[in-house]
Amino acid sequence: MSGPAFVVAVAGPPGSGKTSLAEALSRQLGGAPILSYDAYERITAWPPDRVADWLRRGAPLAEVPLPGLATDLAALKRGESVPDRARGGSLRLPRGEPRVALFDTLLGRAHAGTGCHIDYLIWLDVPFDVALARKLRSFTAEALRDPRAGPPLLASLDAYLGRYEDLLRPTYAIQRQRVRPGADLVLPAAPLADLLAAALPALARALPAAAAEISR
């Protein structure tokens, strides 16, 4: 079977487990490629006063800089190879069925430029405190792996926490308000195996032609 790929997006706040679930789904879907929002976003490079102004103006998602993301997602959906900006190399659909591409994103269908290409959206409904704890754990885990990285990681952690209350948490609240309603499947915080067990049957129902492959 040829034709457009079925794009499955995984969204949620930072620390919700989007990347882990996308990677687990990829393994179950014959190595389906994963396009990552984080490899394109530029908003985290904005100074705090610019983020604050963006929030005051209602946080228009059309202004979130994502150079090349919509173009690459559209190309991948058409079955074309695109650069893997997260890991190097290239992303391409696996041969055979199911023809699925995964999209690890923060914005879901709320972002017009990329949302129009999403066929199925999974929202990870993780409470902010749990997501924050997981995010902090990612900083400490990296420092434990490489003690030499400790000082710069500590500086990054301090900057993250310094922005959390006034800038980041309000942004995540807006994300939940705008993205969650467009989800086809909402999953609560749970171990990865449980998330996968819930997501695979739902995807099999959404993509009947590939149900046999997904359910294996």
Side-chain angles (χ1 to χ4, degrees):
M1 175 182 171
S2 59
F6 189 84
V7 175
V8 177
V10 182
S16 61
K18 299 184 302 300
T19 301
S20 295
L21 180 57
E23 290 174 347
L25 287 171
S26 175
R27 291 190 292 270
Q28 293 292 320
L29 298 172
I34 303 171
L35 197 67
S36 175
Y37 165 97
D38 288 347
Y40 296 81
E41 68 84 18
R42 298 292 182 269
I43 196 169
T44 52
W46 284 5
D49 58 344
R50 184 175 180 186
V51 178
D53 176 69
W54 177 74
L55 285 169
R56 281 193 297 269
R57 292 185 293 103
L61 297 184
E63 294 182 12
V64 176
L66 298 165
L69 179 56
T71 299
D72 284 356
L73 182 58
L76 191 60
K77 185 172 181 126
R78 291 194 300 267
E80 301 171 14
S81 174
V82 301
D84 186 345
R85 301 177 191 241
R87 305 166 191 83
S90 59
L91 296 172
R92 56 177 58 85
L93 298 176
R95 295 183 179 181
E97 300 296 335
R99 285 173 62 84
V100 174
L102 294 161
F103 183 27
D104 177 352
T105 179
L106 285 175
L107 304 181
R109 292 187 170 110
H111 181 259
T114 55
C116 60
H117 301 299
I118 294 173
D119 297 296
Y120 195 88
L121 174 61
I122 300 171
W123 170 263
L124 299 182
D125 206 28
V126 176
F128 290 153
D129 60 337
V130 175
L132 177 60
R134 292 177 178 177
K135 187 70 175 177
L136 298 181
R137 187 84 183 272
S138 72
F139 283 103
T140 58
E142 189 170 348
L144 288 171
R145 281 195 302 269
D146 182 5
R148 294 171 299 179
L153 281 171
L154 186 61
S156 297
L157 176 58
D158 181 68
Y160 183 86
L161 293 176
R163 297 183 181 190
Y164 185 80
E165 184 175 357
D166 294 332
L167 299 179
L168 298 179
R169 195 179 190 287
T171 300
Y172 303 155
I174 290 169
Q175 179 208 20
R176 174 175 287 170
Q177 181 184 42
R178 298 183 187 177
V179 179
R180 188 184 188 280
D184 299 288
L185 178 65
V186 176
L187 296 176
L192 179 59
D194 293 345
L195 295 176
L196 195 60
L200 286 173
L203 288 177
R205 291 190 294 271
L207 189 58
E213 294 293 330
I214 293 176
S215 61
R216 286 181 182 176

